[in-house]
Amino acid sequence: MTVGFIGLGNMGQGMVDNLLEKEADLTVFTRTRSKIEAMIDRGAKGASSVADLAQNVDVVLVCLPDVQTSRDLLLGEDGVIANARPGQVVVDHSTVDIATSRACAGAAEAKGVHFLDAPISGGPGGAAGGTLAIMVGGAEDAFETAYEYLGKMGANVRLMGPSGAGTAMKLINQLLVGINTVAAAEAFALANSAGVDITAAADLLAVSWGNSVMAARSAPITAARDFSNSSAPVRNLDKDLGIIRDLALDEGLSLELTLKSYEMFHYMIEQGNTEHDIAGVLEVIEERSGK
C-alpha cells in the first residue's frame, strides 16, 4: 500500500520522518514547497496539491493546526474527501471538535470512503520518537488497514469506538492537560513563595500522590523560567480548551476547573504570549498574586 501525509508542522514533520525511516511508500504535501523538496531529497514523493496526493495513495493522513483548516482541507470542494476513491482510508490526526469529525465521516461514507478521527498526544518529542499516543474513532476494518502506518508513528495506538470517539478521547486528554498544568503552576508558585526549591519539590513529587505528567514536565521549565518560544505553545492548548468550552456549553456540562484554566490560558494569548510554553501560566498566577 501507499500512504500520503498532508501537513508538515511541529507534529507532522516528526510523524513523516518516522514513516520514511520505517520504509513507508510515502507521498507528502504541504503549503511550503521547500519542505516538500526536503522530503523528496530523503526519498519521499512530492504531491503538487491536495487533490494530487489524494488521488494517488491508498491511505491519506492529515495533521493540521486548527478546526477551520481541517474542515477546508478535508471537506472543501477540491479537498481530500472530494478527491478520494471508494475503499480509500482518510485519517485526520488534527485536534478538532466532535461535530467536525462526524461531518467528515458522513461525507466520506457518502463516497464509499473510510474515515478515522485519530488525534495524537505526546508532543513534538513523541512525534519525533515515534512514541505518540494515537486515539482512533471509526470502523474496525478501516483501523486495521491504517494500523500499518499508525504503528510506525505511535507506541500506543487504540481504537476508542465509532466516529468521533477518537476526537472525544483527545478532548478528555486536553482537559486534563490544561487543568493539571494550572495545578502544577499553582503548586510551584506556592513553592517559590515558601522558599522550596522547585527541582527538589519535583523529585519528591515523583514518588508522591501529588505527581502528574504535567507537573514533571513543567518543573524544569519553571525552575529555569524558560517559557518563551516553546514547542508546546499556549496557542495550541487555548484552541483545544476553547473547543471543550463550547462542547460543555452545548452539552450543559459544568466543567468549572476547565473553564477557569481556559480563562487563564486565554489571558496569556490576550497578553501576546501565544508562543509561550503552557507552563508559563505561572506568570499569570504571579501577576494576580502581586508578585
Side-chain angles (χ1 to χ4, degrees):
M1 289 198 306
T2 58
V3 62
F5 199 105
I6 301 172
L8 302 181
N10 283 345
M11 298 296 287
Q13 185 62 62
M15 296 163 77
V16 162
D17 289 343
N18 274 285
L19 288 170
L20 196 58
E21 288 166 8
K22 295 169 185 175
E23 301 183 343
D25 186 345
L26 176 66
T27 301
V28 299
F29 177 76
T30 191
R31 289 177 295 182
T32 305
R33 185 65 200 176
S34 60
K35 290 186 176 182
I36 298 176
E37 290 171 352
M39 295 307 298
I40 291 172
D41 290 342
R42 293 174 53 195
K45 302 181 185 72
S48 60
S49 65
V50 169
D52 178 35
L53 183 143
Q55 292 167 6
N56 289 287
V57 298
D58 299 310
V59 177
V60 180
L61 310 177
V62 174
C63 190
L64 299 166
D66 56 63
V67 175
Q68 192 58 54
T69 303
S70 294
R71 293 187 73 93
D72 290 347
L73 192 143
L74 288 164
L75 296 170
E77 289 185 5
D78 202 26
V80 171
I81 293 172
N83 286 282
R85 306 182 308 278
Q88 197 170 19
V89 179
V90 175
V91 183
D92 185 18
H93 293 297
S94 317
T95 300
V96 298
D97 57 292
I98 296 172
T100 293
S101 292
R102 289 177 176 165
C104 290
E109 184 179 6
K111 291 199 66 178
V113 173
H114 305 290
F115 179 82
L116 299 172
D117 47 283
I120 52 181
S121 181
T131 59
L132 291 171
I134 305 179
M135 45 216 91
V136 186
E140 187 170 356
D141 56 348
F143 174 73
E144 290 174 354
T145 298
Y147 190 86
E148 174 182 346
Y149 303 110
L150 303 182
K152 295 179 187 296
M153 302 181 296
N156 296 284
V157 183
R158 303 283 181 86
L159 180 62
M160 303 305 302
S163 294
T167 291
M169 187 64 237
K170 177 59 185 288
L171 296 178
I172 292 166
N173 181 77
Q174 294 306 90
L175 179 155
L176 290 168
V177 168
I179 291 173
N180 287 336
T181 298
V182 172
E186 289 195 349
F188 294 143
L190 177 58
N192 284 334
S193 181
V196 175
D197 179 76
I198 288 176
T199 300
D203 288 343
L204 193 282
L205 285 172
V207 294
S208 304
W209 279 14
N211 196 36
S212 70
V213 170
M214 300 318 297
R217 179 194 177 275
S218 293
I221 297 169
T222 303
R225 300 193 74 89
D226 184 19
F227 300 134
S228 61
N229 298 317
S230 172
S231 61
V234 69
R235 59 179 165 79
N236 288 343
L237 189 55
D238 175 74
K239 177 204 68 161
D240 297 346
L241 293 180
I243 292 171
I244 297 168
R245 175 204 58 185
D246 293 343
L247 179 61
L249 291 173
D250 290 343
E251 298 291 329
L253 291 172
S254 176
L255 303 180
E256 295 182 22
L257 292 177
T258 305
L259 295 179
K260 183 59 180 178
S261 298
Y262 170 70
E263 180 271 322
M264 295 173 75
F265 289 115
H266 198 67
Y267 178 76
M268 293 175 67
I269 298 289
E270 292 174 338
Q271 296 300 107
N273 294 323
T274 58
E275 301 305 313
H276 259 39
D277 191 274
I278 56 178
V281 72
L282 173 79
E283 295 180 328
V284 177
I285 296 166
E286 290 175 338
E287 178 184 330
R288 295 178 180 181
S289 302
K291 300 294 185 180

